[in-house]
Amino acid sequence: MKFLLVKTILVFLFCWVPSNMSTVCHVLLLLFQFCLVEPKRAQYRGGIIENPDFDRCLNGWNVFGNASIEEGKSKNGNKFLISKHRTRPLDGVSKNVQFEQGQIYSFSAWIQISEGIENVSVVFRIDGKDLIRAGKVIAKSGCWSLLKGGVTANSSSPVDILFETKNIRTEIWIDSVSLQAFTREQWKHHQEIMIKKERKSNVRFEVTCDNGTAVEGAFVSTKQIKGDFPFGCAMNHHILDNTDYQKWFASRFKYTAFTNEMKWYFDEAIQGQENYTIPDSMLNFCKQNDILVRGHNVFWADMKYQQKWVLDLSPDDLQKATTKRIDSVVSRYKGQLIAWDVVNENVHFRFYEDKLGPNASNEFYLRAYQLDPSITMFLNDYNTLEYCGDENVSPVTYMQKLENMLSYPGIQGISAGIGLEGHFGLGNANLAYMRSVMDIFGSTGLPLWFTEVSVANDPDQAQYLEEVLREGYSHPAVKGIIMFMGPAQAGFKETPLTDMSFSNTPAGDVVDKLLREWNSQTTETKTNAKGLSEILMNLGEHTVTVEHQLTNSLVTKTFNYKVAKGVRTVHFQIC
């Protein structure tokens, strides 16, 4: 508790300086302060959980393993459950529920521990055997933290809800437990509500003559030119000599990232022989076709993706080589990119930290920011959305890495972003876990991007892909999506969007459908007796034409609607 208090005080002192009041301070304060003296009531009134707030003592709750449970009570009279005398990480309390196949279960609980700071996970034990870790939180003594997660039920079976922490000496305090079941139809309905709220806006068109008289019966037609939401696709070097690939890509996408061509091993395969010919040519193609590019990546933290000559360098020589690399690539593309994945998969791997010291990656972010302060610098890692069992990159560990980077001296002005790769394996997407992850990261106020979405070659691949993309698009914290897929002829085999003849696969049909839905809206309506018509429009750039046959008038304007708040009125004078 003392350690937490000292860190909190230091953050407040740092952020007290006016020049340091930034997104960094907001994130740091959130990381340290989102911890309540009293927990909030259970979401959905507990959902299918009996006695979620322990108002009826411990009714419906059981002991699991070697432990004991008892009722706790705060000074304000709030009741909660205490798991103590634990001998194994999973020992403590359990709650039995029944899962129904195909339903989506959203979980939340407020957690506190008796001393220190520990990671606490919720674990679902399916049918008495299979363990699924479905969410995690950094729990502290002295205050309550919200644990969120979830799972999609692959079968109808009894399930035990358990809580896990590796420190068996600490007590786990639990309150306001909720498990809410949703059908897929209910889940999709919520997505549609959020899309309407976050990605659309009502626009009222007012049509008059020059004397202010309302014009009834004027035709108002709109055509979306460009969507406001960045929805794009990766590309590779095959696009440079394949006109079919060029036509296919340019007719669909306005955002991209290069799969390999900006990576260090591609640009400097032999030490001292930098070659940017291919990424330069790809970037020129993008400029000619109004396509914006995410930089991917300056460094890759996984040792197996280092050039052999990099592996052979001494620490001093590696320091010189990394400085040369970051200065070269970031300076070269300054002002031409919208983002950089500065150190790829740096939550999982630490090649540069092992070689150059614990602040190696922080120094890379600082240097990239100094070289090009205008763009967003991303952390980027896998198993963030798609797999809740990877403890190396849970939201907890990702946030700790983010905290470490954002608190590094000199980096306080950086525009930081959270990159979630999203390489989904076989089976259904865990939409409840995805949403809980986006909620957690979204609370930082930093932009989230799905940076490398792909879906395994599954019989239901198209449906699976649509679920993933809609889940991201419907969440307000997600500011862009890049798919790591494309035409089979360009080597995209796992999630091909076209066959070898550039005819759509089922996954390609899904992408084209979403492009039409999100980026190609057309509408037509008539004004009423007051000269008004109102249209719900996708955010983005639209051409609007107003025509009135009786007055033989036609007016066309182009508008860009970016902020989805309230109803705005656009006036047309046509006679």
Side-chain angles (χ1 to χ4, degrees):
M1 185 64 185
K2 290 181 179 178
F3 175 70
L4 175 65
L5 179 61
V6 169
K7 290 191 77 174
T8 303
I9 292 172
L10 288 174
V11 172
F12 272 112
L13 289 174
F14 171 78
C15 292
W16 189 259
V17 181
S19 62
N20 290 329
M21 290 304 292
S22 62
T23 301
V24 176
C25 290
H26 172 74
V27 173
L28 292 174
L29 291 172
L30 178 73
L31 287 167
F32 293 130
Q33 295 300 307
F34 192 64
C35 193
L36 305 182
V37 175
E38 295 286 357
K40 296 183 179 181
R41 300 292 286 180
Q43 289 184 310
Y44 310 111
R45 297 183 179 179
I48 64 173
I49 297 293
E50 177 192 358
N51 192 21
D53 296 301
F54 306 101
D55 295 330
R56 292 183 284 116
C57 300
L58 304 180
N59 289 351
W61 296 84
N62 305 299
V63 173
F64 178 80
N66 299 313
S68 62
I69 62 174
E70 64 183 44
E71 181 186 274
K73 185 182 290 187
S74 71
K75 294 179 181 179
N76 295 329
N78 177 62
K79 296 178 180 179
F80 54 91
L81 183 149
I82 300 174
S83 291
K84 59 194 306 184
H85 305 137
R86 301 164 47 253
T87 60
R88 293 171 300 182
L90 273 173
D91 287 349
V93 68
S94 72
K95 179 74 173 178
N96 184 259
V97 297
Q98 178 68 29
F99 274 8
E100 299 299 329
Q101 184 175 5
Q103 292 207 321
I104 300 168
Y105 291 87
S106 180
F107 177 86
S108 65
W110 286 86
I111 304 293
Q112 186 175 166
I113 57 174
S114 56
E115 60 180 29
I117 302 176
E118 299 290 343
N119 294 336
V120 177
S121 301
V122 60
V123 181
F124 295 136
R125 189 173 71 148
I126 312 296
D127 203 18
K129 48 187 178 182
D130 296 331
L131 300 179
I132 298 177
R133 286 166 178 81
K136 183 184 290 187
V137 71
I138 302 175
K140 311 173 185 69
S141 63
C143 60
W144 294 89
S145 299
L146 180 62
L147 191 163
K148 298 189 73 173
V151 69
T152 300
N154 293 325
S155 63
S156 296
S157 58
V159 174
D160 294 310
I161 302 174
L162 310 173
F163 296 88
E164 178 183 49
T165 186
K166 293 180 179 178
N167 183 357
I168 61 174
R169 295 184 301 276
T170 190
E171 299 173 358
I172 305 176
W173 300 2
I174 303 161
D175 202 356
S176 302
V177 184
S178 173
L179 186 69
Q180 178 70 9
F182 298 91
T183 64
R184 289 189 176 275
E185 291 73 21
Q186 290 170 329
W187 199 269
K188 187 173 181 180
H189 179 64
H190 180 267
Q191 289 177 339
E192 290 170 350
I193 291 172
M194 294 307 297
I195 288 171
K196 182 177 179 180
K197 178 182 177 182
E198 299 295 332
R199 311 298 182 199
K200 298 175 181 286
S201 180
N202 282 303
V203 181
R204 181 185 297 117
F205 296 98
E206 181 182 36
V207 182
T208 67
C209 289
D210 57 3
N211 62 2
T213 304
V215 177
E216 182 180 5
F219 287 93
V220 180
S221 60
T222 70
K223 180 176 178 56
Q224 187 171 355
I225 301 170
K226 184 177 181 181
D228 186 57
F229 183 85
F231 177 47
C233 187
M235 70 169 63
N236 63 29
H237 63 275
H238 292 291
I239 203 164
L240 295 178
D241 53 14
N242 188 326
T243 55
D244 289 335
Y245 187 8
Q246 292 172 9
K247 292 175 183 177
W248 176 86
F249 198 103
S251 66
R252 286 167 170 79
F253 303 111
K254 295 300 179 184
Y255 295 86
T256 192
F258 304 164
T259 55
N260 287 295
E261 290 77 7
M262 280 191 175
K263 293 172 181 173
W264 194 8
Y265 60 64
F266 195 98
D267 302 331
E268 194 177 1
I270 300 172
Q271 186 175 13
Q273 297 183 21
E274 291 183 329
N275 188 342
Y276 292 102
T277 303
I278 289 176
D280 284 353
S281 298
M282 292 172 68
L283 189 58
N284 285 336
F285 168 80
C286 291
K287 290 176 181 177
Q288 291 165 9
N289 290 278
D290 193 28
I291 299 167
L292 301 179
V293 181
R294 294 187 76 254
H296 178 75
N297 49 57
V298 180
F299 297 109
W300 198 341
D302 190 346
M303 184 174 72
K304 70 181 181 181
Y305 293 111
Q306 311 302 321
Q307 308 91 302
K308 185 179 183 306
W309 68 264
V310 170
L311 295 174
D312 292 340
L313 294 175
S314 67
D316 286 345
D317 288 339
L318 180 61
Q319 183 66 67
K320 294 174 184 176
T322 55
T323 299
K324 179 174 176 287
R325 159 64 179 175
I326 197 167
D327 286 0
S328 174
V329 72
V330 176
S331 297
R332 186 180 194 87
Y333 297 120
K334 180 178 180 180
Q336 302 179 72
L337 307 176
I338 60 172
W340 264 118
D341 295 329
V342 179
V343 188
N344 196 44
E345 298 175 358
N346 192 212
V347 186
H348 268 103
F349 304 109
R350 45 179 298 117
F351 171 76
Y352 295 101
E353 281 78 7
D354 290 342
K355 292 287 187 178
L356 302 175
N359 287 316
S361 293
N362 292 334
E363 285 287 342
F364 296 154
Y365 278 93
L366 176 59
R367 184 59 181 159
Y369 164 59
Q370 291 170 339
L371 291 167
D372 192 354
S374 64
I375 67 171
T376 305
M377 308 290 178
F378 278 79
L379 275 73
N380 190 56
D381 222 305
Y382 65 93
N383 282 353
T384 47
L385 288 167
E386 61 271 41
Y387 179 55
C388 58
D390 188 345
E391 294 189 7
N392 293 318
V393 70
S394 69
V396 170
T397 51
Y398 196 117
M399 294 277 275
Q400 289 171 333
K401 185 70 179 181
L402 181 66
E403 171 204 334
N404 180 265
M405 187 268 282
L406 291 177
S407 60
Y408 192 66
I411 215 166
Q412 285 68 42
I414 195 172
S415 175
I418 295 172
L420 311 175
E421 290 185 13
H423 297 293
F424 291 83
L426 294 173
N428 295 321
N430 187 343
L431 299 179
Y433 181 73
M434 283 181 65
R435 188 170 295 177
S436 71
V437 169
M438 292 185 286
D439 287 345
I440 293 167
F441 286 132
S443 66
T444 66
L446 297 181
L448 274 61
W449 278 62
F450 288 13
T451 54
E452 304 181 23
V453 175
S454 66
V455 176
N457 192 357
D458 184 280
D460 298 319
Q461 184 181 67
Q463 176 187 340
Y464 191 8
L465 175 62
E466 183 170 355
E467 289 179 346
V468 168
L469 295 176
R470 284 193 184 279
E471 187 63 30
Y473 184 73
S474 66
H475 199 285
V478 177
K479 305 305 181 185
I481 297 174
I482 300 292
M483 302 174 292
F484 257 44
M485 52 187 78
Q489 199 177 107
F492 293 93
K493 304 298 185 185
E494 186 171 82
T495 318
L497 298 180
T498 76
D499 61 19
M500 295 298 287
S501 300
F502 282 89
S503 295
N504 269 9
T505 62
D509 285 339
V510 164
V511 171
D512 279 355
K513 179 177 75 171
L514 295 179
L515 284 167
R516 289 192 298 271
E517 183 179 329
W518 299 343
N519 295 304
S520 303
Q521 181 189 39
T522 58
T523 60
E524 187 170 287
T525 185
K526 272 186 176 182
T527 57
N528 60 20
K530 295 181 179 181
L532 301 174
S533 69
E534 190 169 307
I535 302 174
L536 181 66
M537 303 175 68
N538 292 331
L539 300 185
E541 191 172 349
H542 299 256
T543 294
V544 182
T545 300
V546 177
E547 182 177 8
H548 194 247
Q549 294 176 346
L550 293 179
T551 60
N552 197 28
S553 303
L554 186 148
V555 178
T556 298
K557 294 182 181 180
T558 298
F559 298 95
N560 200 332
Y561 303 108
K562 284 186 172 293
V563 183
K565 290 190 181 296
V567 179
R568 71 216 65 184
T569 300
V570 180
H571 181 256
F572 282 83
Q573 182 178 304
I574 66 169
C575 58

